Amino acid sequence: MGIIAWILIGLLAGLIAKALMPGKDPGGIIITMLIGIAGGLLGGWLGKVLFGVDSIDGFFDVSTWIAAIVGSVILLAVYRVFTGGRHSHRHA
């Protein structure tokens, strides 16, 4: 798959991960999309390392989407753990 396809899968996987894990995230939609792209790569790598499968076969393969979504959910959860207590409050 090309880089454009990976970016598209990552963006959509990030949105799906956000839908599966609703709540406020510090960073907004841009960070969620970046997490989706990185999560897609993480999911593919985990599928290969843990299960010995090539989970990155093609754009329309279910295994590619499942790997990307699982990776995105993992990264979103980790992101929330590390940034959960960092809310900026401005006082006038």
Side-chain angles (χ1 to χ4, degrees), residues 8-57:
L8 182 59
I9 287 174
L11 294 175
L12 294 173
L15 291 174
I16 292 169
K18 176 69 172 159
L20 292 173
M21 299 176 63
K24 291 197 98 173
D25 291 320
I29 191 77
I30 301 297
I31 297 297
T32 301
M33 286 192 247
L34 293 175
I35 287 173
I37 294 169
L41 296 173
L42 173 67
W45 180 78
L46 286 176
K48 204 171 251 192
V49 170
L50 296 178
F51 303 112
V53 296
D54 190 14
S55 56
I56 306 168
D57 292 330

